[in-house]
Amino acid sequence: MAETLLSIEDLKTYFYTKSGVVKAVDGVSFSIEKGKTLGVVGESGSGKSITAMSILQLIQSPPGRIVSGRIMFDGVNLLELSPKEIRKIRGNEISMIFQDTMTSLNPVLTVGEQLSEVIMLHRKLDKKDAQAKTVEMLGLVGLPDPGKRVKSYPHELSGGMRQKVMIAMALSCNPKLLIADEPTTALDVTMQAQILELMNDLKEKLNTSIMMITHDLGIIAGICDYVVIMYAGKLVEYAGIEDVFKSPQHPYTLGLLASLPKIEEEHSESRLKAIEGFPPDPRNMPFGCSFAPRCRKAVERCFREQPVSREFNERHLVSCHLVASKLNRG
């Protein structure tokens, strides 16, 4: 078995607002192995990005706070580190690609200046060596004519090119873990495929672990080794990529898969299957299973008792009373 790089144990991140406590991440546990890619999937508001921000301790306080749990990274509990110590890890050993490249890049500086600044800060290189490293990194991520592109401003690049700059910036310090938050948002399908292929290639070359955050199960099919399905701040299913697509167990996972468009001719005129209803208000969570109000298979127990994660088979966890009953009968 591969060595574990990151292990999140019972993480709880809450936001204390005037209208109530928002349990954005509520008891989430999973791990990422060295050199592997984990997909984190769920609707908007499921807690995907807050989980990533908790790892890097970028939660704004107030109103947010990591209430409890452990985040073990390479044998160190990140939640026990001082702000100075976590800054040394952030950007060096753990890097993040944010989804909105236009707001992530400074519009008044060239991409070369921004990338060089990161390299000088984290790798302690002088200006000349940092500029050379900048050109090298832009070439590594497949940006055409990198020697010329270092002089470009963000608005002069396409969305796909800006995303490649962000990937180059995130990888410039050879991080052990790369967190990619919706890295293909607003890109056309051709550029999406290029970005995903690029990340796959870089993972193989640099042996970097990747945490891929997305709302689209189709995107992770060709890049992830394991998948975490999140709903309303909780983990509902955790399994290998093949198990998620061939043997999904949680009703929410089944609903996500059913909503994917089909290519077969017999489905060409049929409507996409949507999951009925809406996610719950995080300030007023329902009793029992948070997915029960939208679940067609829900029984009385689902509305009064919160399910716990059960091992369906090796490295396949599911939080569902129906699955637990099936296991008990088996």
Side-chain angles (χ1 to χ4, degrees):
M1 184 179 292
E3 188 177 351
T4 298
L5 176 67
L6 177 78
S7 177
I8 293 179
E9 303 168 13
D10 197 28
L11 177 66
K12 295 182 180 180
T13 303
Y14 296 170
F15 289 82
Y16 296 85
T17 70
K18 292 181 180 178
S19 55
V21 179
V22 177
K23 297 181 179 181
V25 178
D26 194 19
V28 169
S29 301
F30 61 81
S31 61
I32 304 176
E33 297 172 349
K34 291 185 177 180
K36 300 293 184 179
T37 299
L38 174 80
V40 183
V41 181
E43 294 173 273
S44 296
S46 62
K48 308 184 302 296
S49 296
I50 297 300
T51 300
M53 302 287 270
S54 299
I55 294 171
L56 291 168
Q57 295 188 39
L58 293 174
I59 301 299
Q60 185 174 349
S61 179
R65 181 158 60 91
I66 298 175
V67 176
S68 63
R70 294 207 309 167
I71 302 176
M72 301 300 296
F73 176 73
D74 224 8
V76 176
N77 187 356
L78 298 182
L79 299 184
E80 294 180 349
L81 300 183
S82 66
K84 183 178 180 180
E85 290 171 325
I86 197 66
R87 280 196 296 270
K88 291 181 179 179
I89 289 178
R90 192 189 300 144
N92 279 327
E93 298 186 52
I94 305 176
S95 289
M96 187 165 180
I97 304 171
F98 297 93
Q99 57 179 296
D100 191 346
T101 55
M102 279 306 288
T103 57
S104 299
L105 292 169
N106 191 325
V108 300
L109 296 177
T110 66
V111 295
E113 289 171 328
Q114 295 180 64
L115 188 47
S116 293
E117 183 179 0
V118 171
I119 293 172
M120 285 189 290
L121 175 64
H122 291 290
R123 302 195 69 171
K124 309 301 181 185
L125 298 179
D126 60 31
K127 189 172 182 180
K128 182 179 180 181
D129 290 339
Q131 289 174 341
K133 186 66 178 177
T134 295
V135 175
E136 178 188 336
M137 291 304 301
L138 292 179
L140 180 66
V141 298
L143 204 67
D145 198 2
K148 179 180 178 182
R149 290 301 179 186
V150 292
K151 300 177 183 178
S152 299
Y153 289 88
H155 73 272
E156 296 177 314
L157 303 178
S158 67
M161 286 181 174
R162 289 195 299 270
Q163 196 61 277
K164 288 181 178 181
V165 171
M166 291 302 298
I167 293 173
M169 193 175 292
L171 293 173
S172 60
C173 299
N174 295 330
K176 296 177 181 177
L177 175 64
L178 175 64
I179 301 174
D181 190 359
E182 303 276 9
T184 59
T185 297
L187 301 180
D188 61 64
V189 290
T190 302
M191 187 53 67
Q192 280 187 12
Q194 288 184 21
I195 294 297
L196 294 176
E197 184 179 3
L198 168 63
M199 294 182 69
N200 232 354
D201 290 343
L202 293 173
K203 180 186 75 170
E204 298 299 326
K205 290 179 182 177
L206 305 175
N207 196 36
T208 299
S209 300
I210 298 175
M211 179 176 168
M212 171 73 74
I213 299 172
T214 181
H215 63 276
D216 189 346
L217 272 171
I219 285 178
I220 63 154
I223 189 173
C224 293
D225 300 294
Y226 292 92
V227 182
V228 164
I229 308 293
M230 291 186 67
Y231 183 80
K234 294 184 179 294
L235 183 152
V236 297
E237 190 157 3
Y238 173 42
I241 189 71
E242 290 189 8
D243 286 335
V244 165
F245 283 93
K246 292 183 180 179
S247 182
Q249 296 300 313
H250 197 281
Y252 180 59
T253 308
L254 292 166
L256 290 177
L257 289 168
S259 68
L260 293 175
K262 307 294 190 300
I263 299 177
E264 295 85 352
E265 290 184 3
E266 63 265 30
H267 296 286
S268 60
E269 295 182 2
S270 62
R271 295 172 63 90
L272 293 177
K273 295 180 181 179
I275 301 174
E276 296 181 357
F278 300 93
D281 184 340
R283 298 162 299 180
N284 186 26
M285 297 295 288
F287 288 105
C289 175
S290 55
F291 187 64
R294 305 176 70 187
C295 182
R296 296 178 180 178
K297 298 179 181 180
V299 296
E300 190 270 337
R301 182 187 180 189
C302 300
F303 292 93
R304 61 177 171 80
E305 185 180 332
Q306 200 170 99
V308 296
S309 291
R310 291 280 301 272
E311 194 168 30
F312 180 73
N313 55 39
E314 187 178 3
R315 301 210 68 180
H316 189 162
L317 300 176
V318 186
S319 298
C320 178
H321 292 307
L322 302 175
V323 175
S325 297
K326 185 164 55 176
L327 289 172
N328 290 335
R329 289 195 301 269

